[in-house]
Amino acid sequence: MIEERPDRSAEVVLLGRSNVGKSTLMRELTGHSFDTGRRPGVTQAANHYDWAGPDFVLTDLPGFGFMEGVEESRREEIKTAIVQYLEEYADEILVGILVLDANSAVEIIDRHEDRGEIPHDVELFGFLQELGIPTVVAVNKMDKAEDRDETLDAIAERLGLHPPWKQWQDTIAPITAKRGSIDPLTEAVGNHLREQKREELLQFFS
């Protein structure tokens, strides 16, 4: 189980595979440094960042999927813990940010589907929808994508969103967190917060 959640009634969560840049994005959003590493699976616990003042917490959930040196049973435990966390706090979670790597997302999704498996990214995107949690897919490392629109259209299609991706700009946000290029994400999150009449939280996504 993911423990030690701050007592906050409003939350935005980041989730995604290991090594897609969630911790870098968290640092960009908060100005606070979190553990990052080249080796997948550095973040195996949740990072909570609760600002003084408003009743709000930003949470970086553990990375899921392949992690070098981590047994499959442990990886499954982490994924189960993420699912349970989302279920338990669905009413408090205002936005879920699913972070994908622009360079590997399509390949990973296709590889799992070719094996007859439901890819974790697709499964969690659908799960967030089922829970009624507004979702933004932050497609990270866009600076390394060969063809921006082709990559984003392919990701949209695999998530069940009919291309072109540009009609889904409240759902798909191309970013490069390492370079501080996250405006499409903050705009999309901001739109979801406005829809929920939570304008007081916009200061954290500006």
Side-chain angles (χ1 to χ4, degrees):
M1 291 295 293
I2 295 167
E3 300 170 356
E4 298 181 5
R5 179 188 184 273
D7 185 18
R8 296 285 190 270
S9 66
E11 182 173 13
V12 170
V13 299
L14 277 70
L15 63 160
R17 288 184 177 277
S18 299
N19 224 29
V20 295
K22 289 189 296 92
S23 298
T24 303
L25 176 56
M26 188 82 158
R27 184 173 62 233
E28 196 61 37
L29 288 168
T30 65
H32 186 80
S33 186
F34 297 89
D35 289 337
T36 61
R38 291 184 178 279
R39 185 172 56 81
V42 169
T43 306
Q44 290 190 32
N47 282 317
H48 300 285
Y49 195 69
D50 53 326
W51 285 267
D55 184 14
F56 175 66
V57 60
L58 179 64
T59 299
D60 176 17
L61 290 170
F64 56 80
F66 174 75
M67 300 171 220
E68 190 176 333
V70 179
E71 292 183 5
E72 185 172 352
S73 59
R74 174 61 181 151
R75 298 201 298 263
E76 282 300 313
E77 282 176 17
I78 291 170
K79 186 192 156 202
T80 299
I82 292 168
V83 167
Q84 290 173 342
Y85 187 94
L86 293 172
E87 283 183 321
E88 184 172 355
Y89 298 110
D91 291 343
E92 283 83 32
I93 299 173
L94 303 177
V95 184
I97 301 173
L98 176 62
V99 187
L100 303 183
D101 183 330
N103 300 289
S104 62
V106 171
E107 179 192 341
I108 289 171
I109 289 170
D110 287 352
R111 190 166 66 231
H112 282 271
E113 288 185 336
D114 287 346
R115 294 200 300 246
E117 302 166 357
I118 299 174
H120 290 343
D121 312 87
V122 175
E123 186 179 15
L124 283 170
F125 179 75
F127 187 58
L128 288 163
Q129 310 291 297
E130 278 179 36
L131 293 173
I133 297 172
T135 306
V136 179
V137 179
V139 185
N140 193 23
K141 308 182 186 180
M142 283 302 302
D143 57 322
K144 296 178 181 174
E146 285 186 18
D147 187 315
R148 177 185 174 89
D149 286 337
E150 185 179 307
T151 296
L152 294 167
D153 283 348
I155 287 171
E157 186 174 11
R158 282 154 179 79
L159 293 174
L161 305 172
H162 191 65
W165 76 272
K166 287 185 178 176
Q167 65 182 329
W168 303 101
Q169 291 190 48
D170 276 355
T171 305
I172 296 180
I175 65 170
T176 302
K178 191 175 278 189
R179 295 188 175 181
S181 176
I182 62 169
D183 285 353
L185 172 64
T186 55
E187 288 169 18
V189 172
N191 288 339
H192 289 301
L193 293 176
R194 287 186 192 93
E195 286 173 7
Q196 297 173 77
K197 309 291 189 233
R198 298 305 299 263
E199 285 84 355
E200 79 279 8
L201 301 178
L202 292 174
Q203 60 184 302
F204 305 121
F205 298 95
S206 60

